[in-house]
Amino acid sequence: MVSHLFFYQLVLLGLLWLCVMLHYVWPNECARGDQRPSKPLPPRKRSSDPKPFPGLTRKPPCVACEQAHAHRPQPPGCPPPRIVPMRGRPRQVETSCHFCPHANCDYRGWLGLGNITSNGHPSGGPWRQLHCTSCGGYFQETHGTPLHGTRVVPEKLVWAVGALAEGLGIHAVARVFEIDPNTVLAWLVEVADHAVAFSQYFLHDVRVTQVQLDELFALLSAVKAGEVSDAEAIQRLSRSPHWVWAAIDPITKLLLTIDVGDRTLAMAQRVVHQVVQVLAPGCVPLFLTDGFKEYTTALLTHYGQWVQPARWRAQGPMPKPRWVPLPGLLYAQVVKTVRRRRLVDVKHRIVFGTLDAVQQVLAVHGWQINTAFIERVNLTIRQHVAAVGRRVSTLCKHEAGLRQQLALYQVYYNFCLPHAGLRQALPQPEPTHGTGSARQGRPQTPAMAAGLTDHVWTLREVLLFRVPPWPQPVGV
Ligand SMILES: [Zn+2]
């Protein structure tokens, strides 16, 4: 012990001597009197420019990417030739939105090839019977939709689903329409599957310049309804809290994706993956999120590339390649500090790209860095999705139930609900039939603004839409 102490004292003395000597010997830099090399340097002033991202040595994995390649619907080949009817009177009923569902038919799944004729309403039923002239098969116009094979009056189902989409809980819908809650749940399950296919069919190759992402905390109804004790609820929530994740394009207000899951990297990966699926290839928009740190990795996964850094010296080992963000990727965070439920501070952080580039994208619309649009949508989701909102008596106790309501809501929001902020001004005001003032604008839905459809869909239209099994060629 003593020898150690002595040794350290010797070293200290030696260092002191060295300092004093250097002070005299050093020509310029050390000549100033305040220089004390033993003290740590004062922290450097941070420049306002963000440091360039150094890159990762491994590409972050995305589970959804690895699974996705398998189940993306692809057409089996080229469409068969068009059938032009040679005899009989011209066809009266429009059948171009129908396709043959029969597995052994060459025309299966193809739209507008002239192989479908209409047969009228068998035994006075509400639905038409359609006929495929290629395979000779018959099918109903509701084939493959939630209205197929139900004995209930179609209007009742459409209205009940409309009530669900407007945010009424399952029990409430059951009471209003005098049906069993389990029937409503069965309808919801059926409609949700249809809604997912519908969204997948229409939402692709969307071009956007901005995307806002957010997570909204969703207390599931079982907890709220008092079916579990508070202690159990807290335990259950801390183990697997449920968050509703949403991504919108703030310009067209299109809800690109909506999902439910934990607040984890895996979930952030999944949401960004779903956004990438909807966007056109090569489309790299500006991303705006809150301060949740896992978005950075999730975005980097889908918008990154390998680069080979240059050598430090002419000789020496080649440095490892780095996974870096694409040159065009812009990503900014809005970091809010909330103390006692009050917003005390908002900070903007540029993660990828430069502040100038981000502001340039926003300036087109006269905006600042913000996540206001997605926060507004979050509020709407609370109002329209019973399991997320304040109402408690829904059957959606499980994550899957919530996902079904969200799938329905996504279609309803994108295709059926005209958005007040998207109203198209008419060149000339149109007179209305009644005594009201002239119409100034045309209602527009987010899907119309994004160029995915040309009209406001009714829920009945959505439910009756037969989703083709694969994307159809443009212009058919
Ligand atoms: Zn056929």
Side-chain angles (χ1 to χ4, degrees), residues 99-109 115-116 131-139:
F99 55 88
C100 178
H102 297 119
N104 51 357
C105 178
D106 290 343
Y107 285 76
R108 182 184 86 90
N115 59 317
I116 308 292
H131 173 62
C132 172
T133 52
S134 171
C135 67
Y138 292 92
F139 57 95

Side-chain angles (χ1 to χ4, degrees), residues 10-272:
L10 253 181
V11 169
L12 199 70
L13 271 174
L15 275 172
L16 264 173
W17 178 80
L18 200 72
C19 288
V20 172
M21 288 312 286
L22 274 174
H23 187 76
Y24 286 106
V25 173
W26 215 254
N28 291 323
E29 281 96 333
C30 282
R32 273 175 261 126
D34 59 350
Q35 189 76 17
R36 274 171 231 144
S38 58
K39 228 180 164 186
L41 288 166
R44 265 187 301 165
K45 249 193 190 171
R46 274 207 191 149
S47 67
S48 55
D49 291 333
K51 268 185 293 176
F53 183 74
L56 306 170
T57 48
R58 286 178 57 190
K59 179 181 186 285
C62 170
V63 182
C65 280
E66 286 149 24
Q67 295 169 351
H69 299 292
H71 56 77
R72 196 151 176 78
Q74 289 298 328
C78 288
R82 214 186 152 78
I83 296 175
V84 183
M86 301 307 281
R87 51 200 178 85
R89 60 193 171 89
R91 292 171 187 175
Q92 301 291 317
V93 180
E94 171 68 25
T95 57
S96 63
C97 57
H98 286 284
F99 55 88
C100 178
H102 297 119
N104 51 357
C105 178
D106 290 343
Y107 285 76
R108 182 184 86 90
W110 293 106
L111 289 183
L113 294 179
N115 59 317
I116 308 292
T117 59
S118 173
N119 253 5
H121 300 251
S123 52
W127 308 118
R128 280 179 194 283
Q129 190 186 47
L130 302 171
H131 173 62
C132 172
T133 52
S134 171
C135 67
Y138 292 92
F139 57 95
Q140 264 195 344
E141 64 176 325
T142 54
H143 188 277
T145 72
L147 288 163
H148 188 62
T150 56
R151 258 179 262 147
V152 69
V153 188
E155 263 56 46
K156 200 172 189 174
L157 197 152
V158 172
W159 288 336
V161 171
L164 282 173
E166 280 289 346
L168 217 55
I170 288 175
H171 280 291
V173 172
R175 284 191 296 272
V176 172
F177 295 94
E178 296 174 350
I179 29 181
D180 189 72
N182 289 312
T183 311
V184 184
L185 186 65
W187 288 351
L188 176 62
V189 171
E190 189 98 341
V191 168
D193 284 347
H194 183 72
V196 168
F198 187 93
S199 284
Q200 202 177 29
Y201 182 72
F202 280 100
L203 296 183
H204 59 84
D205 295 282
V206 178
R207 293 211 164 267
V208 298
T209 54
Q210 297 178 38
V211 171
Q212 291 188 0
L213 280 159
D214 203 9
E215 331 86 62
L216 154 84
F217 190 59
L219 273 173
L220 289 192
S221 58
V223 178
K224 285 184 164 184
E227 289 166 22
V228 293
S229 71
D230 280 1
E232 199 189 331
I234 290 163
Q235 195 197 3
R236 209 195 274 187
L237 281 173
S238 52
R239 196 174 56 227
S240 106
H242 295 278
W243 295 79
V244 173
W245 295 67
I248 66 157
D249 167 17
I251 296 159
T252 62
K253 314 285 187 279
L254 190 71
L255 196 52
L256 301 170
T257 184
I258 189 163
D259 205 343
V260 57
D262 300 340
R263 200 166 184 253
T264 57
L265 170 63
M267 195 59 209
Q269 295 271 37
R270 189 157 107 188
V271 172
V272 173

Side-chain angles (χ1 to χ4, degrees), residues 386-437:
V388 182
R390 298 282 167 218
R391 273 170 286 250
V392 291
S393 44
T394 62
L395 284 181
C396 289
K397 294 185 187 106
H398 309 290
E399 204 178 87
L402 181 53
R403 194 168 283 140
Q404 280 147 358
Q405 288 209 330
L406 291 172
L408 168 63
Y409 177 69
Q410 188 187 8
V411 170
Y412 190 64
Y413 169 91
N414 278 339
F415 288 85
C416 304
L417 283 182
H419 197 288
L422 294 172
R423 215 174 158 77
Q424 272 181 330
L426 290 171
Q428 278 142 11
E430 280 176 8
T432 44
H433 294 301
T435 50
S437 53

